[in-house]
């Protein structure tokens, strides 16, 4: 039995602007940014991470609110789950508010931030499938006031990663003014932790449906074929109606796209999915069916 205490950080910097935070990270490349600390401090306390220095983001007021910008909402990365769960924010982006309210117990919601949820990229992060379905864009702050934009899906997929000294400053989300739904099923993986989640948004202007499935893979999955298929079945001109059978078919389509059948064996036989995986696929199908039904109603 060992008593292995985590090594304390040698320095803590508390900048008050985004550019000051970027400068602090550039000055000490080994420094780690911390906002809510719900993931970071768990790693520190378990001895998995021993940061040489910390850059606290809690005093940067510019990233703790939101504003309107050309038909979009510009969300600060420092927004907490508790703040996003309030009614005024729910009127703005309902699915993201629902995900924020589902993000664990009150102490997690009060501390955890939108930017931290994205940067940690934990598969069970509740905000991630919502941002993927909304096709959100990240505004990354770099040195000397530089800003660049990348789709949130590119960061989560590892296509475009944060560079040294960069921080997620803001998240730009399109305001669709249409129904949005977030649903999740929890299992035995921890309090409030998703076993599977589904975010679904309607885009009446483009007559489209966007869906993202979270928690079942390292990043949210977009069943694009299922989206296009069901969008053609919706009567957009008459109350966005759809035949009931299409709801069930959509759920099965999404589930099969995200959790496909095993490849055939050399002898032509098709192996069965393990019971746990089959149960997960049924869960995804039920969530997708319910999410579309609620959005259309």
């Amino acid at each position: 039995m060992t008593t292995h205490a985590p090594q304390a950080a040698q320095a803590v910097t508390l900048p008050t602007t985004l550019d000051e935070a970027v400068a602090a990270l550039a000055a000490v490349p080994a420094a780690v940014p911390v906002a809510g600390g719900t993931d970071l401090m768990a790693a520190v306390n378990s001895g998995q991470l021993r940061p040489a220095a910390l850059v606290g983001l809690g005093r940067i007021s510019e990233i703790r609110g939101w504003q309107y910008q050309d038909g979009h909402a510009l969300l600060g990365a420092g927004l907490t789950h508790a703040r996003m769960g309030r009614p005024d924010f729910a009127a703005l982006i309902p699915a993201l508010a629902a995900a924020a309210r589902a993000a664990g117990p009150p102490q997690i919601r009060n501390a955890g931030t939108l930017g931290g949820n994205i940067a940690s990229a934990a598969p069970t992060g509740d905000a991630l499938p919502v941002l993927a379905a909304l096709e959100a864009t990240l505004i990354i702050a770099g040195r000397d006031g530089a800003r660049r934009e990348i789709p949130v899906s590119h960061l989560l997929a590892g296509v475009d990663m944060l560079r040294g000294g960069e921080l997620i400053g803001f998240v730009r989300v399109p305001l669709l003014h249409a129904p949005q739904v977030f649903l999740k099923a929890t299992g035995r993986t921890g309090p409030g932790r998703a076993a599977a989640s589904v975010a679904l948004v309607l885009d009446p202007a483009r007559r489209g449906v966007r869906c993202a499935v979270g928690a079942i893979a390292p990043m949210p999955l977009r069943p694009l074929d299922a989206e296009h298929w069901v969008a053609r079945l919706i009567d957009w001109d008459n109350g966005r109606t759809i035949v009931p059978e299409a709801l069930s078919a959509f759920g099965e389509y999404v589930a099969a796209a995200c959790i496909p059948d095993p490849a055939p064996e050399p002898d032509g036989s098709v192996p069965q999915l393990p019971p746990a995986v089959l149960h997960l696929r049924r869960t995804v199908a039920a969530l997708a069916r319910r999410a579309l039904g609620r959005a259309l109603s």
Side-chain angles (χ1 to χ4, degrees), residues 58-237:
R59 296 184 179 180
I60 305 177
S61 59
E62 63 187 293
I63 63 171
R64 298 183 69 84
W66 71 82
Q67 58 184 296
Y68 299 100
Q69 186 183 77
D70 300 326
H72 293 71
L74 191 65
L75 312 179
L79 276 171
T80 64
H81 299 303
R83 186 65 190 88
M84 291 188 291
R86 294 182 186 176
D88 57 342
F89 190 92
L92 189 71
I93 311 174
L96 192 54
R101 290 192 294 264
Q107 60 268 32
I108 296 295
R109 298 197 303 273
N110 288 332
T113 63
L114 177 62
N117 210 223
I118 299 168
S120 62
T124 54
D126 292 319
L128 303 185
V130 178
L131 296 175
L134 290 170
E135 297 182 346
T137 301
L138 304 179
I139 298 178
I140 309 299
R143 300 181 184 183
D144 301 321
R147 301 289 187 268
R148 67 186 181 99
E149 299 187 17
I150 61 173
V152 67
S153 57
H154 284 198
L155 179 69
L156 298 177
V159 175
D160 214 336
M161 302 298 291
L162 291 179
R163 301 163 188 164
E166 287 188 330
L167 283 172
I168 299 173
F170 302 92
V171 183
R172 181 181 286 120
V173 178
L175 295 177
L176 301 178
H177 303 295
Q180 307 172 11
V181 177
F182 171 79
L183 298 174
K184 80 174 183 178
T186 57
R188 297 179 180 179
T189 53
R193 195 178 296 273
S197 61
V198 169
L200 187 138
V201 299
L202 300 183
D203 190 349
R206 299 180 181 178
R207 301 196 170 197
V209 175
R210 289 187 240 155
C211 177
V213 179
I216 67 170
M219 61 168 289
L221 304 177
R222 286 280 304 275
L224 298 177
D225 289 342
E227 294 176 3
H228 298 155
W229 174 80
V230 80
R232 292 194 296 268
L233 300 180
I234 297 173
D235 189 347
W236 296 96
D237 297 319

Side-chain angles (χ1 to χ4, degrees), residues 13-21 56-63:
T13 305
L14 299 174
T16 58
T17 69
L18 196 55
D19 288 334
E20 287 178 4
L57 309 179
R59 296 184 179 180
I60 305 177
S61 59
E62 63 187 293
I63 63 171

